[in-house]
Amino acid sequence: MKAKREALKSLFTAMKDGKVDEDIIELLLLINSIKGIYTTSSCSGRIDIIEEPALGAKPLSRWLVKVHRPIEFEEAKEALKDAKNGLIFLKSQPPIFHVVAEDIERAKKLHEIGLTSGFKYTTFKVISNRYLVEINATEYLTAPLGKDGKVLVSDDYLRFAIEVGNSMLKRSKGRLPRLGENFRKLREEVGEDGLFYELVRDFEIEKNWRIP
Amino acid sequence: MKAKREALKSLFTAMKDGKVDEDIIELLLLINSIKGIYTTSSCSGRIDIIEEPALGAKPLSRWLVKVHRPIEFEEAKEALKDAKNGLIFLKSQPPIFHVVAEDIERAKKLHEIGLTSGFKYTTFKVISNRYLVEINATEYLTAPLGKDGKVLVSDDYLRFAIEVGNSMLKRSKGRLPRLGENFRKLREEVGEDGLFYELVRDFEIEKNWRIP
C-alpha cells in the first residue's frame, strides 16, 4: 500500500516534531501496525475557545486556547482577553480517529470496533477506492460565549460551561482503553503489517515510544 | 425491495398522522421516488431545549420545547420554567436525512449529493448488506443553560444564544433547495421507482401533498 507508506512517514515525522497528541500515540501505533489499515488525521479529544469571524467560515477561525485535557477556569478567562472579532465559542470534542481501510471487510470491522467501544458516531465515507472510517463519539459541546471581543457570560456561567465540557471530555477519553483492547483483538485476527515495522526501524521510533 | 415497501408504508402512515416535518415532505417524496433508495428517519432541522438527567443518558432526556423553525425568546423563557433536573441544553441541529441505498454505487452518489449540496458531514454506515447514508451538516449548537431546574444564564445571554442557534438553523435549511435540485438530477440519471407510485396511490398521498 503506497498510500500507507506515505501516511506512516507523515505520522512518524509529525511525532518526531512533537505535533501528535501524546496520549493517543500508543493507540495510533497499534492501529497502524495492523495489516490493511492506517490512520490519517486523528485527535485525542480537546477543549478549546475559538473565534469564528463569520458563521461557517472555518478556515478563518482563530484559536484563543486549545488543550487536550480538562481546561482550567483561569486559562479560559485569560484566553478570552485576546478575543477580537467574530463569534466566540467554547467547544469540547471527543477523540476522533480517521482510519483508512483497504477493503469493505476491514471497513466494516473498524465500524464495529468503533461502535462496540462506545464511539456511537462511527461512520464511514468512500474516497476513490478506499474506505475512510471515522471513529467518533457524541460528546460535543458548542457554547457561544460572546461576540466581537465582548464576553457575554458571567464567571459563574463560564465555570459551569467548562465543568460540562470537561465532563464530556473525560467521558469520551475514558473509552480509549476499550478501543485499544478491541484493536488488539483485530490485530490478532487480521495480522500485523511488515511495512509498519520496517518504517518504525527507519524512523527509530522505538527510541522514544513503546511499540505496542 | 421489501424493506423499501415497509419503509414507504411507515412514512406514508406517519405523514397522514401529522408526524413528519411538513417542510421536508416534498424532498422526502422526491428521494423515495428514486429507484434503489429510500429514506428512514429524517429531520428538517430543529432548535430545542432539552434536559439530560445524566450526561449521555439520552433515552431519559426530556424536551422542554422543540421547534423546526427559528425559536422565539419568549418560547424559550417559558419552556425553561418547566426545568426540573439534569443538565439543561439549548441545541440547534441542521436537517439530517437518512437514506438507504441498495448498492455501493448509489451510496457513493448519495454521499456525493450530500457533499455538493453543502452538507459537509455526510457519511455512511454499512448495516447488513445495505448502505445507510447520513446527509448531515456542521451547524450544531450545544449550549448548557443550567442545571437541576436552575437557569444559570441571563436573559441577554439567552437572547444571544438563541440568535446564534437560529442563524445556524437558517444557514443549514437554506441548503435544502440545492439538495432538492441534486436529487432531481439523480432521479433523471437512475430512474423512478414504480413501487413508490403504487404506494402513493394506495395511500392516496396526492390528496394532501404534491408528488414531485
Side-chain angles (χ1 to χ4, degrees):
Chain A
M1 270 185 111
K2 180 169 175 292
K4 182 165 181 176
R5 182 179 285 272
E6 292 312 309
L8 285 175
K9 285 167 149 183
S10 264
L11 173 63
F12 293 164
T13 304
M15 278 168 59
K16 291 169 96 170
D17 288 344
K19 288 177 181 171
V20 182
D21 306 338
E22 280 297 327
D23 45 344
I24 51 163
I25 283 181
E26 198 170 319
L27 197 34
L28 292 178
L29 291 174
L30 170 61
I31 296 170
N32 282 291
S33 73
I34 300 170
K35 206 163 170 51
I37 66 175
Y38 61 91
T39 61
T40 58
S41 60
S42 301
C43 173
S44 68
R46 64 178 194 234
I47 299 216
D48 50 77
I49 296 178
I50 191 168
E51 265 187 331
E52 291 181 9
L55 251 195
K58 261 188 98 177
L60 304 172
S61 298
R62 196 170 77 100
W63 269 296
L64 303 181
V65 64
K66 178 168 54 160
V67 296
H68 295 279
R69 42 135 182 101
I71 195 171
E72 299 286 328
F73 171 77
E74 293 308 336
E75 289 179 278
K77 197 97 171 89
E78 200 53 40
L80 284 165
K81 291 178 184 170
D82 289 336
K84 288 195 188 91
N85 97 298
L87 280 167
I88 310 164
F89 286 102
L90 172 71
K91 292 191 178 188
S92 176
Q93 75 177 42
I96 299 172
F97 295 86
H98 288 106
V99 192
V100 178
E102 65 182 7
D103 57 44
I104 189 79
E105 288 316 312
R106 279 179 173 78
K108 286 183 186 184
K109 287 188 159 80
L110 288 173
H111 180 219
E112 182 72 20
I113 285 177
L115 294 181
T116 56
S117 306
F119 286 81
K120 298 300 180 189
Y121 274 171
T122 296
T123 57
F124 57 104
K125 301 179 194 283
V126 179
I127 315 268
S128 312
N129 285 327
R130 294 198 303 270
Y131 299 87
L132 176 66
V133 180
E134 182 179 274
I135 293 176
N136 200 354
T138 56
E139 289 87 355
Y140 277 81
L141 186 88
T142 309
L145 299 181
K147 195 173 165 174
D148 297 331
K150 191 159 179 250
V151 175
L152 296 170
V153 301
S154 61
D155 280 1
D156 279 348
Y157 179 78
L158 186 59
R159 260 181 239 278
F160 167 61
I162 281 172
E163 190 188 303
V164 177
N166 285 342
S167 300
M168 287 176 156
L169 187 66
K170 283 176 209 158
R171 260 179 69 86
S172 59
K173 281 176 94 96
R175 296 189 194 103
L176 293 175
R178 188 165 26 147
L179 189 64
E181 280 162 37
N182 285 328
F183 270 110
R184 280 187 186 280
K185 286 182 195 157
L186 181 67
R187 188 167 70 175
E188 277 161 40
E189 199 188 315
V190 315
E192 291 175 344
D193 189 351
L195 171 65
F196 170 80
Y197 294 98
E198 176 198 319
L199 287 164
V200 154
R201 277 190 309 270
D202 291 350
F203 279 78
E204 301 185 316
I205 295 301
E206 280 146 312
K207 283 200 170 161
N208 292 299
W209 294 283
R210 220 173 60 84
I211 306 305
Chain B
M1 267 184 113
K2 180 170 177 292
K4 182 165 181 176
R5 183 179 284 273
E6 292 311 308
L8 285 175
K9 284 167 150 183
S10 265
L11 173 64
F12 293 164
T13 304
M15 278 168 59
K16 290 170 97 170
D17 288 343
K19 287 177 178 169
V20 182
D21 306 340
E22 279 297 327
D23 46 343
I24 51 164
I25 283 181
E26 198 172 319
L27 197 36
L28 291 178
L29 291 173
L30 170 60
I31 297 170
N32 282 291
S33 73
I34 301 170
K35 206 164 171 49
I37 66 174
Y38 61 91
T39 61
T40 59
S41 61
S42 301
C43 174
S44 70
R46 64 177 194 234
I47 299 215
D48 51 78
I49 296 178
I50 191 166
E51 263 186 332
E52 291 181 10
L55 251 194
K58 261 189 98 177
L60 304 171
S61 297
R62 198 170 77 100
W63 269 296
L64 303 182
V65 64
K66 177 167 53 160
V67 296
H68 295 279
R69 43 131 182 103
I71 194 171
E72 300 287 327
F73 171 77
E74 294 306 335
E75 288 179 278
K77 198 94 171 93
E78 200 53 38
L80 283 166
K81 291 178 183 171
D82 289 334
K84 286 195 187 90
N85 96 299
L87 280 168
I88 309 164
F89 287 102
L90 171 71
K91 293 191 177 188
S92 176
Q93 75 178 42
I96 300 172
F97 294 86
H98 288 106
V99 192
V100 177
E102 66 181 7
D103 56 44
I104 188 78
E105 288 316 311
R106 279 178 172 78
K108 286 183 185 183
K109 289 188 158 81
L110 289 172
H111 179 219
E112 182 72 22
I113 284 176
L115 294 182
T116 57
S117 307
F119 287 81
K120 299 300 180 189
Y121 273 171
T122 295
T123 57
F124 59 105
K125 302 177 193 286
V126 179
I127 315 269
S128 311
N129 285 326
R130 294 199 301 271
Y131 299 87
L132 176 66
V133 180
E134 182 178 273
I135 293 175
N136 200 354
T138 56
E139 290 88 354
Y140 277 81
L141 186 88
T142 308
L145 299 180
K147 196 173 164 175
D148 297 330
K150 190 160 180 251
V151 175
L152 295 170
V153 300
S154 61
D155 279 1
D156 279 348
Y157 179 79
L158 186 59
R159 261 182 238 278
F160 167 62
I162 280 172
E163 189 189 303
V164 177
N166 284 344
S167 300
M168 286 176 157
L169 186 66
K170 283 176 209 157
R171 261 178 68 86
S172 59
K173 281 175 93 98
R175 296 191 195 102
L176 293 175
R178 188 166 26 148
L179 189 65
E181 279 163 37
N182 286 327
F183 270 110
R184 281 189 185 279
K185 286 182 194 156
L186 182 68
R187 188 168 69 176
E188 275 162 41
E189 198 187 317
V190 314
E192 292 175 345
D193 188 352
L195 172 64
F196 170 80
Y197 294 97
E198 176 198 319
L199 287 164
V200 154
R201 277 189 309 270
D202 291 348
F203 280 77
E204 301 185 317
I205 294 302
E206 281 146 311
K207 284 200 170 164
N208 292 300
W209 294 282
R210 218 172 62 85
I211 307 306

